Amino acid sequence: MVMGMATKKYTVTLPEELAEEIRAEVGPGGFSRYVTAAIERHRERERLHEFVEWLEAEHGPVTAEEAAKAEAERLSIQQELAARKARAVPDRKTS
């Protein structure tokens, strides 16, 4: 989130059920932060899509083999991060 940025209040219309789910998740005062973070994530994804389009225009589309290799690498990294996180959590049974 961009820190130190001036803010302005707006009225936004959302489906009631969605708005209430968000409010329940974020608690009092967190709604604006949640919406801001969602918009920032959306913008990041849009920039990533533009970058991928540019890369594919320069180098051709990603092949099925390249996509499979990237997915395997992503899963390996995800597993390693989960293992590190598990090792970092102190064992509460021995304390």
Side-chain angles (χ1 to χ4, degrees):
M1 188 181 317
V2 179
M3 302 306 272
M5 182 183 286
T7 62
K8 185 173 181 180
K9 190 171 186 166
Y10 290 91
T11 300
V12 178
T13 303
L14 298 171
E16 183 176 2
E17 186 175 317
L18 175 61
E20 292 306 318
E21 287 174 8
I22 293 168
R23 190 167 305 283
E25 287 177 34
V26 300
F31 200 88
S32 292
R33 269 191 313 277
Y34 182 93
V35 171
T36 299
I39 292 168
E40 288 173 343
R41 282 191 307 273
H42 177 77
R43 287 178 156 185
E44 288 172 1
R45 281 193 298 274
E46 290 296 315
R47 286 191 293 271
L48 285 171
H49 286 287
E50 290 173 6
F51 182 59
V52 168
E53 288 173 2
W54 176 82
L55 285 173
E56 287 185 335
E58 291 288 316
H59 304 286
V62 175
T63 66
E65 181 181 325
E66 291 167 330
K69 183 177 177 183
E71 178 62 8
E73 186 173 342
R74 185 193 69 78
L75 288 172
S76 174
I77 291 168
Q78 184 178 19
Q79 290 169 346
E80 175 60 27
L81 290 174
R84 287 182 187 185
K85 187 175 181 180
R87 288 192 300 266
V89 174
D91 185 359
R92 294 192 174 141
K93 293 178 185 175
T94 61
S95 42

